[in-house]
Amino acid sequence: MSKPRGRQFFANPGPTNIPDSVLHAQAHVTIDFNDPAFLEVYDRVVLGVKQVLKTQSEVFFYTASGHGAWEGALVNLFSQGDALLVIETGYFSEGWSHMAADLGLKPEKLTADWRLGVDLAVLEARLRADTGHALKGLCVVHNETATGMSLPVQDVRKILDRTGHPALLLVDTISSLGSFDFRMDEWGVDCAVGGSQKGLMLPTGMSFTGVSAKGMAAHATSTFPKHYLSWTQMIARRHRSFVGTVPTSYFYGMQESLRLLLEEEGLDNVFARHARLAEAVRRCVRHWSGNNGPQLFCQNADRFSDSVTAVLVPEGHDANTLRSIALGRFNVSLGGGLGALNGRVFRIGHLGDLNEPMILGTLSTVELAMQVAKMPHNPGGVAAAIAYLAEG
Ligand code: PLP
């Protein structure tokens, strides 16, 4: 079959579409990372990232995808054998937990149904039971990209405060930051982990951690061997980050993406756009669910994600067949199901540089692919999305 013509509709939940102006900005000629002209850009970008994180704290950058920042957080805050509590959300909470175990930490999973999310009363009971404060850290994935569910970090903070538990609060904001609200300082987050390739609309390959004063104090006592990821190494440098060469191009790209987010559109408008497009997607999927069609994977309406929707296909049907049709015949790239959800779920990313026609085009194509694949559904889901978007 010949390659489909036209621009690809990229509806993955990260990496995401990169605005043309960011692509152009990133294609900057090589510059010395100590050149005063670059340092001006660098310092501005660091301030901008702090604005997006809503923090006054220290931020450390890594030339690595999100996994690098996950590891940076763990090896800088803890020591081997430390116990952590990881709230189960899905594929990514499992991944962070496996990493912690591989490093020699003792992660304990606070189990939760992937479709309903954690019961916060269970979290509170677990923290109260830890009278000796053996748990040194609580790891939370703000937005589980695999299931399309968010977790109310502010409520987790309240529980830590209410129980008087001193565990450090680590939050993975990789698929929430720049898409919906996150407030590092107000929510008392000790370590916020972020990445470049989602709401920040940049290529994959740079990640960062915001670290509170309490986090820095914990770092001072951490005995994990580390060098490239060491915050102590980083803070001693002019850039207060990067052990080694600074990836200058990213900073030119990020200067532009931060301008788009913070100045041109404004963060609150960015969040409102994401909320609106997310709701349009959910209305469409709910409509499709008639006639034993596909369903929203997330069944907790209080925790719907505004950056990604996971769609559970009917029993006996393969989500990857649908994705292959969408990609091969119609040039629409959808996210796949991760881990145990492979083949059972496809994911529509609605974060980053995205507007109504892109979402409607994607939804129409999913409906078209469902017809081609003979997957049961209630036709006309796109009309439900249009009706919602037309309201205002
Ligand atoms: N955490 C979340 C919530 C993610 O969505 C991802 C990637 O999609 C990661 C962590 C891992 O980040 P990376 O793939 O950039 O290493």
Side-chain angles (χ1 to χ4, degrees):
M1 201 188 299
S2 64
K3 198 174 176 300
R5 304 297 315 163
R7 192 158 189 155
Q8 182 173 87
F9 273 40
F10 192 78
N12 271 272
T16 63
N17 296 285
I18 303 172
D20 290 351
S21 66
V22 173
L23 280 174
H24 291 146
Q26 184 133 350
H28 194 277
V29 293
T30 308
I31 184 167
D32 181 342
F33 58 84
N34 286 312
D35 186 312
F38 174 72
L39 288 174
E40 220 177 276
V41 172
Y42 183 86
D43 291 344
R44 203 164 33 242
V45 167
V46 174
L47 282 180
V49 172
K50 290 186 184 189
Q51 255 180 284
V52 178
L53 283 166
K54 299 189 176 161
T55 189
Q56 312 264 341
S57 300
E58 202 71 58
V59 178
F60 300 103
F61 291 86
Y62 315 85
T63 312
S65 74
H67 277 77
W70 264 358
E71 187 157 337
L74 297 176
V75 299
N76 278 289
L77 291 171
F78 304 111
S79 302
Q80 278 196 347
D82 279 354
L84 307 179
L85 188 62
V86 182
I87 298 181
E88 183 177 17
T89 53
Y91 182 81
F92 289 104
S93 68
E94 304 276 83
W96 206 5
S97 187
H98 287 152
M99 174 185 277
D102 284 348
L103 289 167
L105 291 158
K106 293 201 169 62
E108 171 187 323
K109 177 164 44 175
L110 190 79
T111 55
D113 184 305
W114 288 18
R115 297 191 73 183
L116 295 172
V118 69
D119 177 352
L120 291 176
V122 175
L123 172 65
E124 181 154 355
R126 178 64 191 93
L127 291 174
R128 281 197 195 284
D130 183 30
T131 47
H133 297 160
L135 296 168
K136 300 296 177 212
L138 173 59
C139 297
V140 177
V141 177
H142 188 201
N143 185 71
E144 176 52 73
T145 324
T147 63
M149 191 185 299
S150 62
L151 205 149
V153 173
Q154 58 279 46
D155 294 345
V156 171
R157 176 76 259 166
K158 284 184 199 142
I159 290 171
L160 282 165
D161 291 346
R162 208 159 50 227
T163 55
H165 201 293
L168 295 167
L169 177 58
L170 284 71
V171 180
D172 171 336
T173 72
I174 289 178
S175 61
S176 58
L177 196 69
S179 301
F180 58 90
D181 202 16
F182 175 75
R183 303 172 184 216
M184 179 169 167
D185 289 357
E186 195 181 316
W187 297 349
V189 173
D190 295 303
C191 185
V193 176
S196 56
Q197 78 272 24
K198 301 201 192 249
L200 296 179
M201 308 179 295
L202 289 158
T204 311
M206 195 166 76
S207 53
F208 48 88
T209 44
V211 186
S212 72
K214 184 175 160 190
M216 290 308 292
H219 168 63
T221 64
S222 157
T223 58
F224 255 122
K226 50 192 165 280
H227 182 90
Y228 179 71
L229 295 173
S230 162
W231 297 340
T232 300
Q233 291 283 346
M234 292 185 188
I235 215 164
R237 298 178 171 238
R238 160 62 180 83
H239 299 76
R240 300 177 81 80
S241 272
F242 298 112
V243 177
T245 305
V246 178
T248 50
S249 332
Y250 271 101
F251 284 84
Y252 287 100
M254 206 160 191
Q255 174 173 247
E256 174 58 9
S257 71
L258 290 168
R259 189 191 68 76
L260 295 174
L261 291 172
L262 296 169
E263 293 170 32
E264 194 170 299
E265 189 171 2
L267 218 42
D268 289 342
N269 294 327
V270 171
F271 297 160
R273 175 169 55 83
H274 281 80
R276 204 169 113 74
L277 297 176
E279 179 58 22
V281 170
R282 291 191 290 265
R283 291 198 184 204
C284 177
V285 177
R286 277 207 204 92
H287 185 98
W288 286 336
S289 69
N291 297 337
N292 298 317
Q295 301 172 17
L296 292 171
F297 183 81
C298 173
Q299 292 183 315
N300 186 339
D302 293 332
R303 297 193 190 165
F304 283 142
S305 162
D306 281 343
S307 57
V308 52
T309 297
V311 183
L312 182 67
V313 300
E315 209 57 56
H317 290 264
D318 182 5
N320 290 333
T321 305
L322 187 83
R323 290 176 59 232
S324 300
I325 295 169
L327 182 65
R329 281 185 59 173
F330 308 120
N331 213 7
V332 170
S333 176
L334 301 166
L338 297 172
L341 299 182
N342 183 27
R344 298 182 57 214
V345 149
F346 67 90
R347 294 174 302 146
I348 299 173
H350 33 78
L351 73 166
D353 191 36
L354 206 70
N355 59 17
E356 285 83 350
M358 291 158 85
I359 275 294
L360 291 173
T362 297
L363 295 174
S364 305
T365 308
V366 172
E367 195 163 323
L368 172 58
M370 283 196 291
Q371 294 205 19
V372 173
K374 301 199 177 359
M375 183 180 284
H377 64 286
N378 184 20
V382 181
I386 290 175
Y388 169 73
L389 291 171
E391 279 169 19

